[in-house]
Amino acid sequence: MVRIQRRKLLASCLCITATIFLLVTLQVVVELGKFERKKFKGSSLRDGHAKVEEEPTHLYPSPKKDALVLNRKDPMETDSYPIMLWWSPLTGETGRVGQCGEEACFFTINRSYLHHPRTRAFLFYGTDFSIDSLPLPRKAHHDWALFHEESPKNNYKLFHKPVITLFNYTATFSRHSHLPLTTQYLEGIGVLKSLRYLVPLQSKNNLRKRLAPLVYVQSDCDPPSDRDSYVQELMTYIEVDSYGECLHNKDLPHQLNNPASMDADGFYRIIAQYKFILAFENAICDDYVTEKLWRPLKLGVVPVYYGSPSVTDWLPSNRSAILVSEFSHPRELAAYIEQLDSDDRLYEAYIEWKLKGEISNQWLLTALRERTWGVQDINQDNYIDAFECMVCSKVWDNIRLQEKVSNSKFGRRPSSQGLVFAIRCPSVAAASLPLLIPVREARL
């Protein structure tokens, strides 16, 4: 009897096991079927080499206000969005739907979207831009947009008319750009007014017993502006403490001997002890203003500036920097600095705006108030996000305009060519600092 009961129990177990196995197998088959159907439906968007249609006669529907906000989404669910392809990548996004106000676009670095019918714009990062590798042939509905925050030193080809006029939209240091990046190194008005790092003048006078009046910190030697030649000549007339690799004569603490320390609190406090700093850009272009100007203004050090010819448009007041271009020879500049160094009243005139917290330059105030992005501010988009959204919005404007024109009598798509930015950079010969130095028999 016991043996029979055991056989019944074993048979029941085998039946249950077989049933479970059949159920699992059936579920696997169903899921594989779903996957294959999804794969078939999504292949036309995921693979740019799949069946490619001509430019559709209908335009994309306007995205809903509650569309996905800057996060990832399966590409096969992005059929209603125009595609923005980073051709020379600045981001690492393989696929992302970005929400820009009430509009959205699909951003990617996947070049297989080159011939996709929904690809509407190609985004280029200037430093990596190559004239030998372009998405050609260029179609009439393709917009090209350039993001380039650097000077001509990084990619000189962009500063020639045949190249720069390829782009419909630009984000550069120039005020004439569609998205000006002139203040990309300035967090805001607050840091200019801040007295956090300001060293009192009397303390600076005492520190002069062991510090030079001027400090120079530069490790990118011999750039197009030829600043090192000028500084070397200036050193024959006035003492300069040079902490960088260029014309090095003074050491920073060991922990500050790396490029990342340039924004460290310890580095700021060392530089803040000086009365003057040589703030020389690596290239001479209108509106090309970098941290070399903003850093000393934040620290309460008077910048001795050489760079943008339009720098006065960006200074916090009409007496907040000494402009090298106003002196015909380094000897004259050295004499003027020595005069300010020995006269507290004259020196304080250059930091009065800082002490009173008064920014009189309305152009600067307006530029900071109206920019659509922030610097080191988690509550604002960064300038890359702002650039992407600017292009996305322009593309949607063109789509709506095309739809309007298509419904008109003529039905011709208008040109999307935008106003190209103007970059004014004197030639190296015209901008070289040594031309301010008369030729001397023994030295030059």
Side-chain angles (χ1 to χ4, degrees):
M1 178 65 70
V2 174
R3 185 174 298 176
I4 293 174
Q5 290 178 346
R6 287 180 178 176
R7 288 178 178 177
K8 289 182 177 180
L9 179 62
L10 180 59
S12 299
C13 291
L14 290 173
C15 288
I16 293 172
T17 302
T19 301
I20 293 174
F21 177 78
L22 288 173
L23 290 173
V24 170
T25 302
L26 180 62
Q27 183 66 28
V28 169
V29 171
V30 170
E31 292 299 324
L32 285 174
K34 290 181 179 179
F35 175 78
E36 288 299 322
R37 286 194 296 273
K38 287 183 179 180
K39 183 177 181 182
F40 176 77
K41 290 179 181 179
S43 63
S44 64
L45 180 58
R46 287 198 303 271
D47 185 0
H49 300 291
K51 181 180 179 181
V52 178
E53 304 172 0
E54 295 300 321
E55 177 68 5
T57 56
H58 66 282
L59 297 175
Y60 316 127
S62 297
K64 302 297 183 183
K65 186 174 183 179
D66 58 350
L68 186 63
V69 179
L70 290 177
N71 64 355
R72 298 179 185 276
K73 193 173 184 179
D74 195 312
M76 61 189 169
E77 299 181 33
T78 64
D79 292 3
S80 62
Y81 304 120
I83 298 171
M84 312 284 108
L85 175 54
W86 275 100
W87 192 253
S88 47
L90 179 57
T91 73
E93 296 284 353
T94 56
R96 170 178 57 85
V97 174
Q99 184 72 33
C100 302
E102 296 188 359
E103 297 157 337
C105 294
F106 180 69
F107 296 93
T108 182
I109 63 172
N110 187 347
R111 289 193 176 189
S112 68
Y113 289 100
L114 171 61
H115 300 296
H116 196 282
R118 276 184 293 279
T119 297
R120 300 291 301 214
F122 291 85
L123 313 182
F124 300 86
Y125 179 45
T127 298
D128 298 328
F129 175 82
S130 173
I131 200 71
D132 300 321
S133 175
L134 295 176
L136 300 174
R138 184 175 183 176
K139 297 182 180 179
H141 63 280
H142 285 168
D143 287 338
W144 286 12
L146 172 70
F147 182 95
H148 189 55
E149 82 282 26
E150 299 287 356
S151 75
K153 179 178 182 291
N154 288 68
N155 196 336
Y156 69 91
K157 293 179 181 178
L158 292 171
F159 296 82
H160 295 279
K161 187 176 179 179
V163 177
I164 198 60
T165 51
L166 292 173
F167 303 100
N168 303 87
Y169 316 114
T170 60
T172 76
F173 57 77
S174 171
R175 73 181 75 185
H176 303 290
S177 180
H178 293 88
L179 185 74
L181 304 177
T182 319
T183 58
Q184 63 179 301
Y185 295 99
L186 181 58
E187 297 90 335
I189 291 297
V191 296
L192 289 177
K193 293 182 177 181
S194 173
L195 303 179
R196 176 182 177 184
Y197 292 101
L198 182 69
V199 176
L201 180 55
Q202 189 55 51
S203 297
K204 289 190 177 186
N205 286 335
N206 293 333
L207 288 166
R208 280 283 290 106
K209 298 174 183 177
R210 61 180 180 85
L211 298 178
L214 272 167
V215 61
Y216 184 54
V217 186
Q218 191 56 60
S219 295
D220 180 13
C221 306
D222 300 319
S225 64
D226 203 16
R227 58 191 169 202
D228 295 335
S229 296
Y230 188 92
V231 175
Q232 187 172 25
E233 179 73 11
L234 182 66
M235 283 177 163
T236 64
Y237 304 103
I238 191 170
E239 187 181 2
V240 177
D241 286 344
S242 181
Y243 289 97
E245 293 181 13
C246 310
L247 305 175
H248 179 86
N249 62 17
K250 200 172 182 69
D251 295 328
L252 285 167
H254 177 72
Q255 66 273 20
L256 297 178
N257 279 327
N258 63 80
S261 68
M262 296 292 281
D263 289 316
D265 181 82
F267 178 76
Y268 278 8
R269 295 195 181 280
I270 289 175
I271 300 304
Q273 298 177 99
Y274 287 86
K275 287 187 174 183
F276 307 92
I277 184 170
L278 291 170
F280 287 22
E281 306 287 7
N282 63 31
I284 313 304
C285 299
D286 280 346
D287 300 334
Y288 182 61
V289 179
T290 72
E291 78 285 352
K292 294 175 182 62
L293 175 70
W294 304 123
R295 183 186 292 129
L297 293 175
K298 292 189 290 186
L299 301 180
V301 180
V302 177
V304 179
Y305 183 81
Y306 187 81
S308 170
S310 60
V311 69
T312 53
D313 290 342
W314 303 100
L315 293 173
S317 77
N318 58 8
R319 180 162 291 201
S320 50
I322 298 170
L323 304 182
V324 173
S325 58
E326 294 181 352
F327 299 86
S328 61
H329 191 278
R331 184 193 307 105
E332 293 183 7
L333 174 61
Y336 185 67
I337 292 173
E338 288 178 341
Q339 181 183 6
L340 298 181
D341 183 34
S342 61
D343 190 322
D344 289 351
R345 181 182 58 83
L346 293 177
Y347 178 82
E348 284 184 328
Y350 281 90
I351 59 173
E352 183 178 6
W353 68 271
K354 180 83 167 177
L355 297 172
K356 293 183 177 180
E358 296 178 351
I359 309 295
S360 59
N361 186 341
Q362 293 303 311
W363 174 273
L364 176 62
L365 292 171
T366 300
L368 290 173
R369 183 173 60 251
E370 293 182 352
R371 73 183 182 186
T372 59
W373 44 272
V375 178
Q376 299 178 9
D377 186 347
I378 60 174
N379 297 316
Q380 290 184 288
D381 288 340
N382 59 47
Y383 49 45
I384 301 174
D385 294 333
F387 170 70
E388 289 185 335
C389 278
M390 183 264 291
V391 178
C392 178
S393 296
K394 296 285 189 182
V395 165
W396 274 108
D397 287 344
N398 285 335
I399 289 173
R400 285 187 286 267
L401 186 58
Q402 180 183 350
E403 185 177 41
K404 182 178 179 180
V405 173
S406 296
N407 294 332
S408 70
K409 179 179 179 181
F410 301 102
R412 183 173 61 88
R413 182 184 187 274
S415 171
S416 62
Q417 184 67 27
L419 174 65
V420 179
F421 74 125
I423 298 180
R424 299 183 180 90
C425 298
S427 66
V428 174
S432 295
L433 277 166
L435 293 186
L436 299 175
I437 308 172
V439 176
R440 298 172 59 184
E441 296 177 359
R443 301 186 60 97
L444 297 176

